[in-house]
């Protein structure tokens, strides 16, 4: 065997083993370094196998109502990562899955007597969260005390401005109080908390570029399982065989929320379709994810998901090379032919499936009235807006109709209503200050994406675009949950410039 080939394999094995620095336990007990199984444990938590386990637990939790079991499993895995792994990369799958593990049967908003509507369920949940927070903070402090120089994250200025805008929302209005400050803190923490956390707790020089696309691709499969599970809910199928989309919901959101997350997962396989030999298999997976977006029956996700899907097709064909490009082109050509044939030959069946969407047509679902009211709120208090709880919003009622709340959130609710549009939400909630802060943040993300572009940055941009575009007609940027995946894509995109590519390791 050639010396260069042997050296290449040794470096690949070193990268995959994950044995770069010490874990918390090996620092305290140096003799553990001699335990061979430790390398296997580290390798496992950095692998697709662990991402698959985290995703399977997520899907089972949402479908079968096993939240407490899964959350405590996540806490246990986090404890092992805390003790044995050299960084916190292993928690990425659990962070990205955490939003989507809550089931409809345990949702206290729909079922007050469900698990999380009871004191014992709430205590068990908060206890697990407290344990997880202790582990996260402990490892963060430990890694911040290291001598390794990391520099300031590139998005710091934008997030600081946006955080200040959220905390000061409504500051010059009579509606400014502690509750809106707390909501502002929760909003910005959900949007950027794990961006900063991963920045300082992951050893980026040891993370392959394909890691996050792999994780999100696996999560996308779990999302497909949840989407299929929604169709087994009560009241989904009407007597005439049509589908009532208002009965499509999970414990963490209705069809619109599910559609957004599925659309954010859809571009992830593009990375492998371009980078890997036989990437056509991942082009098929991207197409399956797109069908999952359509099955959520969310009009905004269907519309903008289609736009992003076309972009995925263009990136895949343009980015792949030689025979791989031909195979990818053949896959997508077959897809478009199959879709055309389906629309012609199975029009009646498709009409039944998407009956609720067709009935809605171009109905604005009270959004135009809400946006006009947001504009009026902005004119009243243009500098800092009226805060989260006086921002006009819309609410989906049980009969499938949207009701607008022009005066803001009804009393007694901690979760503020949203305006179903990022621009109108910003100007009504935080005024010009919030809009300018968001503009700074968005300019920073575009700059980082365009500076030294690579395939990971392009895929990250496609996934983030799914969130931003669907938020033009919905409230996903302020739903807190999508911020977890958003944070991950931002930090991985930023750090992609120093992350190794397996093809370059051998050079």
């Amino acid at each position: 065997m050639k010396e260069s080939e042997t050296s290449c394999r040794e470096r690949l094995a070193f990268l995959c083993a994950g044995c770069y620095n010490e874990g918390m336990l090996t620092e305290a007990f140096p003799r553990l370094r001699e335990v061979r199984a430790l390398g296997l444990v580290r390798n496992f938590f950095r692998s697709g196998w662990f991402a698959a386990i985290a995703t399977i637990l997520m899907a089972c939790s949402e479908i079968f109502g096993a939240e407490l079991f899964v959350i405590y499993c996540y806490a246990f895995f986090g404890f092992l990562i805390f003790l044995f792994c050299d960084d916190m990369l292993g928690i990425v799958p659990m962070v990205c899955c955490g939003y989507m593990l809550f089931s409809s049967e345990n949702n206290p908003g729909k079922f007050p007597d469900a698990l999380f509507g009871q004191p014992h369920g709430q205590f068990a949940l908060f206890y697990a969260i407290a344990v997880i927070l202790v582990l996260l903070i402990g490892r963060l402090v430990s890694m911040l005390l290291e001598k390794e120089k990391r520099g300031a994250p590139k998005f710091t200025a934008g997030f600081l401005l946006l955080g200040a805008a959220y905390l000061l929302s409504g500051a010059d209005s009579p509606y400014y109080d502690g509750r809106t400050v707390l909501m502002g803190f929760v909003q910005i923490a959900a949007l950027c908390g794990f961006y900063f956390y991963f920045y300082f707790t992951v050893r980026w020089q040891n993370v392959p570029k394909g890691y996050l696309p792999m994780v999100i691709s696996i999560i996308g499969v779990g999302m497909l399982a949840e989407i299929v599970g929604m169709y087994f809910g009560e009241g989904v199928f009407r007597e005439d065989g049509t589908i009532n989309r208002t009965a499509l919901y999970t414990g963490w959101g209705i069809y619109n929320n599910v559609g957004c997350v599925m659309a954010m997962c859809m571009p992830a396989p593009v990375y492998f379709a371009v980078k890997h030999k036989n990437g056509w298999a991942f082009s098929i997976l991207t197409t399956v994810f797109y069908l999952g977006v359509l099955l959520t029956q969310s009009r905004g996700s269907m519309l903008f998901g289609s736009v992003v899907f076309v972009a995925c097709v263009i990136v895949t064909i343009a980015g792949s090379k030689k025979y791989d490009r031909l195979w990818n082109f053949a896959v997508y050509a077959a897809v478009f032919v199959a879709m055309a044939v389906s629309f012609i030959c199975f029009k009646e069946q498709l009409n039944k499936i998407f009956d609720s969407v067709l009935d809605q047509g171009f109905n604005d679902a009270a959004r135009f009235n809400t946006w006009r009211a947001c504009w009026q709120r902005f004119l009243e208090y243009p500098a800092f807006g009226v805060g989260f709880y006086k921002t006009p919003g819309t609410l989906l009622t049980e009969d499938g109709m949207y009701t607008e709340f022009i005066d803001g959130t009804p009393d007694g609710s901690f979760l503020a209503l949203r305006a179903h549009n990022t621009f109108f939400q910003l100007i009504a909630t935080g005024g010009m200050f919030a809009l300018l802060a968001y503009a700074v943040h968005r300019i920073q993300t575009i700059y980082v994406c365009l500076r030294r572009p690579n395939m990971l940055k392009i895929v990250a941009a496609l996934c983030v675009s799914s969130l931003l575009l669907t938020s033009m007609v919905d409230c996903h940027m302020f739903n807190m949950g999508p911020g977890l995946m958003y944070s991950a894509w931002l930090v991985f995109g930023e750090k992609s410039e120093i992350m190794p590519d397996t093809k370059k390791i051998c050079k």
Side-chain angles (χ1 to χ4, degrees):
M1 185 180 292
K2 295 181 180 179
E3 182 180 352
S4 60
E5 185 177 352
T6 304
S7 177
C8 170
R9 290 192 175 185
E10 288 176 350
R11 279 177 283 185
L12 281 172
F14 178 75
L15 177 67
C16 296
C19 301
Y20 318 104
N21 297 285
E22 301 300 332
M24 297 292 289
L25 200 60
T26 51
E27 288 180 0
F29 303 97
R31 288 188 178 180
L32 288 176
R33 301 169 190 168
E34 302 174 6
V35 178
R36 187 176 181 182
L38 183 60
L40 298 176
V41 171
R42 291 179 172 180
N43 186 40
F44 169 72
F45 282 116
R46 300 169 67 90
S47 70
W49 293 108
F50 178 64
I53 289 174
T55 300
I56 291 171
L57 288 172
M58 172 200 77
C60 290
S61 175
E62 194 284 319
I63 295 171
F64 301 112
E67 290 96 329
L68 286 182
F69 171 76
V70 171
I71 290 172
Y72 276 86
C73 282
Y74 279 8
F76 176 70
F77 291 142
F79 182 64
L80 295 179
I81 293 168
F82 173 83
L83 288 180
F84 297 113
C85 295
D86 66 302
D87 65 5
M88 295 300 281
L89 179 69
I91 71 169
V92 170
M94 297 185 290
V95 169
C96 293
C97 286
Y99 174 51
M100 292 88 70
L101 61 80
F102 293 94
S103 66
S104 57
E105 65 183 71
N106 289 326
N107 187 336
K110 285 186 173 293
F111 306 104
D113 296 330
L115 176 62
F116 296 122
Q118 302 297 320
H120 68 277
Q122 295 171 357
F123 175 79
L125 176 63
F126 291 137
Y127 178 77
I129 293 174
V131 171
I132 292 171
L133 286 175
V134 169
L135 295 175
L136 293 177
I137 294 172
R139 193 55 188 270
L140 174 62
V141 172
S142 172
M143 296 192 73
L144 287 176
L145 292 176
E146 293 180 357
K147 295 181 180 180
E148 182 179 351
K149 294 183 179 180
R150 295 176 179 266
K154 289 184 173 63
F155 300 134
T156 300
F159 274 132
L160 285 177
L161 280 173
L162 196 58
Y166 284 0
L167 293 175
L168 293 173
S169 293
D172 63 340
S173 75
Y175 313 118
Y176 191 65
D177 57 17
R179 188 171 64 143
T180 195
V181 172
L182 178 60
M183 175 54 68
F185 174 79
V186 171
Q187 288 282 346
I188 193 61
L191 198 63
C192 70
F194 278 102
Y195 163 79
F196 289 106
Y197 188 84
F198 290 140
Y199 185 93
F200 291 107
T201 61
V202 173
R203 303 187 193 280
W204 295 101
Q205 68 275 16
N206 302 322
V207 182
K209 282 189 174 74
Y211 177 78
L212 188 62
M214 172 196 69
V215 169
I216 302 301
S217 295
I218 294 171
I219 292 175
V221 176
M223 286 303 306
L224 287 175
E226 292 196 11
I227 291 169
V228 172
M230 289 195 306
Y231 278 81
F232 287 89
E234 183 179 356
V236 173
F237 291 93
R238 301 188 180 102
E239 293 182 359
D240 59 357
T242 59
I243 292 175
N244 175 22
R245 69 170 185 156
T246 59
L248 296 173
Y249 59 85
T250 64
W252 52 272
I254 62 172
Y255 52 88
N256 285 334
N257 307 96
V258 180
C260 171
V261 175
M262 189 71 254
M264 290 184 71
C265 294
M266 180 179 63
V270 170
Y271 180 88
F272 304 104
V274 172
K275 286 287 187 177
H276 282 209
K277 189 176 182 181
N278 298 323
W280 56 268
F282 294 98
S283 294
I284 294 176
L285 185 59
T286 300
T287 303
V288 173
F289 284 178
Y290 173 59
L291 295 178
V293 173
L294 298 181
L295 285 176
T296 63
Q297 307 221 21
S298 167
R299 290 181 297 168
S301 299
M302 294 170 72
L303 172 62
F304 294 112
S306 298
V307 174
V308 174
F309 177 68
V310 172
C312 290
V313 174
I314 295 172
V315 169
T316 301
I317 295 175
S320 51
K321 299 178 181 179
K322 299 180 179 179
Y323 291 108
D324 292 324
R325 177 179 295 173
L326 292 176
W327 280 107
N328 283 320
F329 179 82
V331 167
Y332 285 122
V335 167
F336 285 112
V337 170
M339 292 178 65
V341 171
S342 298
F343 282 126
I344 296 172
C345 299
F346 303 102
K347 184 176 181 181
E348 183 177 346
Q349 291 84 346
L350 291 173
N351 286 342
K352 282 190 174 183
I353 294 174
F354 298 103
D355 179 71
S356 293
V357 176
L358 296 174
D359 283 347
Q360 286 291 314
F362 293 99
N363 179 18
D364 69 292
R367 283 168 171 77
F368 291 161
N369 287 339
T370 300
W371 298 343
R372 280 191 288 266
C374 286
W375 181 255
Q376 291 301 318
R377 286 285 190 270
F378 168 68
L379 294 179
E380 294 171 11
Y381 299 97
F384 294 98
V386 295
F388 285 95
Y389 292 98
K390 283 299 179 180
T391 296
T394 57
L395 185 67
L396 181 66
T397 58
E398 293 184 358
D399 59 358
M401 301 300 292
Y402 278 89
T403 301
E404 65 267 23
F405 289 82
I406 303 303
D407 294 329
T409 305
D411 294 335
S413 174
F414 173 72
L415 293 176
L417 295 175
R418 275 83 68 191
H420 286 71
N421 176 276
T422 301
F423 171 78
F424 287 106
Q425 179 81 44
L426 287 168
I427 61 171
T429 299
M432 281 302 301
F433 184 35
L435 186 63
L436 291 174
Y438 180 81
V440 170
H441 170 62
R442 190 53 57 223
I443 290 170
Q444 285 186 319
T445 58
I446 295 173
Y447 172 76
V448 170
C449 180
L450 296 179
R451 180 179 179 268
R452 299 176 184 172
N454 55 54
M455 187 49 58
L456 179 55
K457 284 187 178 182
I458 293 172
V459 171
L462 290 172
C463 293
V464 170
S465 294
S466 297
L467 172 63
L468 300 181
L469 290 173
T470 53
S471 295
M472 292 174 62
V473 292
D474 223 308
C475 46
H476 305 303
M477 282 294 292
F478 295 88
N479 275 346
M480 296 174 284
L484 302 177
M485 199 177 292
Y486 179 75
S487 291
W489 279 118
L490 287 189
V491 69
F492 273 79
E494 176 182 340
K495 285 297 184 179
S496 64
E497 297 177 11
I498 65 170
M499 293 164 64
D501 189 312
T502 51
K503 291 183 178 180
K504 294 182 179 180
I505 294 174
C506 300
K507 292 184 179 180

